[in-house]
Amino acid sequence: MTKLPFLSIDPSTREVSLDAADPAFYSDPNRTYAALHAACPTFFWKEQKRWFFTGYDHVNALLRDRRFGRQILHIATREELGMPEPLEHTRHFDLAESKSLLELEPPEHTRLRTMVNRAFVSRHVERLKPEVEALANRLIDGFADKKEVELLSAFADIIPVTIIARMIGIPEEMGPQLLAWSHDYVKMYMFGRTREDELAADKASKEFADYVRTVIAERRASPRDDLLTHMITTEHKGQHLTEEELISTTIVLLNAGHEATVHQIGNSVRVILESGIDPATLFADEKATERTVEESLRICAPVHIFQRYALEETEVDGVSLKRGDVISLVLAAANLDPEKFEDPLVFRPERSEAPNLSFGAGIHFCIGAPLARLELNVVLPLLFKRLPGLRIARPPVVKDVYHFHGLEALHLAWD
């Protein structure tokens, strides 16, 4: 087994000590996942004080298991669970999350998802392909002659946020502000967040919600052909979305609609260039492109962990759980399970093994997966076609945010 100085594993108790803030870990978490798969794919992470599951079959099953859910307070009180009261200084964030698609369970989740889902099914998303291609070409036109670029700020940051903003009906010029709010907002999901992070997330939540509220008012007064108008006017079993549901849903769509895809564009370009495989082979046709995109999602997923509450007393892989216990499912590690993937740490697009779990599974499967896949299948081959001899100009640095895996910057050059 690989020995890593920042990792301590006791296979007999399945206890693991691991510092998530160690750059040696978050810069290359796949090495750690390989060590965990070899010793104990299910483990108790002492610093995080909960059980984690990395085995593909366990993660896949638990994502679909209705004994577990994204929330618990719909069936139990804080007092019953010994759960602390909400923090006063994160009340705006908590309000935004309270009606989030990511956090709700049926029947509320079913109602919200039904009213939003139509815009994200593959046949509707496919219509956006010319738009994504035109935007990508325009951005590349802006730096192609310079023979060098920092790809995230000049390209990856812009495409997903522009497309999701257009879909929802948010002006494109709001892109930089949306990115700023989103970056502060998602700090609440990170390990080891500070009070400063919480205050920044709460401030972003209030400003984000206030802005969305003004756009909702505009759409009520003057409907348009966009997703926000659709959410306002559509009903499900005689019910419309409430104001707070509209705000929460818009925020989660804007955040989820670009945050992970930005990371994945950078991750994918990096892994392709570091693989040494000829891009002409990887993007030879649509099928080859799809395989390349799926393999990059498998080996360098942008979102690593999703959590679930145990909704009842149960046992999984010998771990006894009581109602209210939190477990963590490591999607990125499940994608590297040697029981499912041969040479899992090797980038190999010709694989025909299990599908990756990067978008989750079950009722909370990522609603934006068709859009993310479309964007990746369009922009990646374009980059390599338009920039011959593309190469990494400086060693990439991974962001200090384990949970969301992405780069600080990706400096590229070409012939």
Side-chain angles (χ1 to χ4, degrees):
M1 187 177 76
T2 305
K3 289 191 175 181
L4 303 170
F6 51 84
L7 175 67
S8 171
I9 302 175
D10 183 344
S12 63
T13 62
R14 299 196 285 185
E15 287 195 347
V16 167
S17 178
L18 171 62
D19 179 7
D22 191 321
F25 166 58
Y26 67 72
S27 292
D28 184 12
N30 287 4
R31 288 187 305 154
T32 299
Y33 296 153
L36 290 166
H37 277 301
C40 50
T42 298
F43 64 93
F44 186 83
W45 190 337
K46 289 196 279 190
E47 287 81 359
Q48 306 305 326
K49 299 181 175 62
R50 68 182 54 146
W51 286 93
F52 283 69
F53 295 83
T54 69
Y56 184 98
D57 287 340
H58 279 128
V59 171
N60 190 29
L62 288 166
L63 286 167
R64 306 167 193 272
D65 194 329
R66 301 308 302 141
R67 295 174 301 168
F68 297 85
R70 286 290 293 167
Q71 61 178 181
I72 186 72
L73 294 178
H74 62 308
I75 62 166
T77 66
R78 288 178 178 274
E79 188 176 39
E80 287 173 323
L81 299 169
M83 187 182 292
E85 290 300 311
L87 300 170
E88 172 61 23
H89 66 276
T90 62
R91 65 187 183 281
H92 297 107
F93 174 85
D94 292 339
L95 180 60
E97 288 285 281
S98 67
K99 301 297 181 183
S100 167
L101 270 172
L102 292 176
E103 304 300 327
L104 294 175
E105 289 296 301
E108 290 84 359
H109 176 270
T110 307
R111 182 172 66 91
L112 261 69
R113 182 142 184 156
T114 299
M115 297 170 83
V116 176
N117 193 57
R118 188 170 68 94
F120 289 93
V121 295
S122 297
R123 65 180 181 276
H124 287 289
V125 166
E126 191 64 27
R127 298 173 188 168
L128 296 169
K129 187 173 182 178
E131 255 185 88
V132 176
E133 193 167 358
L135 176 58
N137 272 316
R138 177 166 63 80
L139 294 173
I140 295 171
D141 287 342
F143 56 73
D145 291 340
K146 297 176 183 176
K147 302 299 182 184
E148 61 179 13
V149 73
E150 195 292 290
L151 190 72
L152 301 190
S153 58
F155 188 80
D157 273 345
I158 300 169
I159 291 175
V161 73
T162 301
I163 296 301
I164 193 64
R166 286 179 186 174
M167 285 181 70
I168 292 173
I170 304 292
E172 282 183 42
E173 56 268 25
M174 282 297 295
Q177 180 61 72
L178 296 174
L179 284 170
W181 282 332
S182 179
H183 292 337
D184 283 342
Y185 192 97
V186 300
K187 288 177 182 175
M188 286 293 287
Y189 303 135
M190 309 302 178
F191 289 163
R193 68 178 190 242
T194 63
R195 184 183 176 90
E196 184 180 6
D197 292 333
E198 293 172 347
L199 290 170
D202 199 65
K203 180 174 182 288
S205 302
K206 182 181 186 307
E207 292 174 359
F208 211 158
D210 288 345
Y211 172 71
V212 172
R213 193 173 281 109
T214 66
V215 183
I216 291 170
E218 290 172 5
R219 290 298 176 278
R220 289 194 193 279
S222 180
R224 296 185 190 174
D225 183 19
D226 57 32
L227 179 54
L228 187 53
T229 300
H230 167 75
M231 291 193 295
I232 291 169
T233 57
T234 299
E235 64 176 53
H236 177 66
K237 296 183 179 178
Q239 289 185 301
H240 289 84
L241 295 181
T242 67
E243 186 90 347
E244 292 306 324
E245 287 171 339
L246 283 167
I247 291 168
S248 287
T249 303
T250 303
I251 288 175
V252 77
L253 290 176
L254 282 164
N255 285 347
H258 76 269
E259 192 79 35
T261 310
V262 169
H263 292 326
Q264 192 59 39
I265 292 172
N267 293 349
S268 297
V269 171
R270 178 191 182 182
V271 77
I272 288 167
L273 290 174
E274 290 182 343
S275 75
I277 302 173
D278 183 359
T281 302
L282 296 176
F283 302 110
D285 53 36
E286 283 190 13
K287 203 68 185 169
T289 297
E290 287 176 10
R291 289 197 299 266
T292 298
V293 166
E294 293 306 308
E295 177 66 351
S296 72
L297 282 164
R298 183 195 70 82
I299 202 168
C300 53
V303 180
H304 280 217
I305 293 175
F306 265 107
Q307 296 177 348
R308 293 288 187 271
Y309 286 98
L311 303 182
E312 60 186 65
E313 188 174 308
T314 188
E315 183 178 307
V316 180
D317 195 21
V319 177
S320 297
L321 300 165
K322 63 181 185 299
R323 188 171 72 156
D325 282 349
V326 177
I327 61 169
S328 289
L329 314 177
V330 192
L331 310 184
N335 288 341
L336 304 174
D337 188 339
E339 297 291 322
K340 290 290 179 182
F341 304 98
E342 186 179 353
D343 294 331
L345 301 190
V346 178
F347 179 70
R348 189 182 290 168
E350 70 275 12
R351 291 179 186 276
S352 57
E353 297 162 321
N356 69 73
L357 294 176
S358 298
F359 292 111
I363 66 167
H364 286 285
F365 179 79
C366 176
I367 197 170
L371 177 60
R373 284 189 161 114
L374 175 82
E375 290 171 339
L376 291 164
N377 276 274
V378 169
V379 306
L380 292 176
L382 256 182
L383 276 169
F384 285 91
K385 179 182 177 182
R386 299 249 352 239
L387 308 174
L390 195 62
R391 59 188 179 275
I392 296 172
R394 298 185 211 168
V397 177
V398 176
K399 276 190 173 183
D400 178 12
V401 281
Y402 173 64
H403 215 113
F404 288 93
H405 184 69
L407 303 173
E408 289 280 2
L410 183 58
H411 293 274
L412 303 174
W414 52 93
D415 299 333

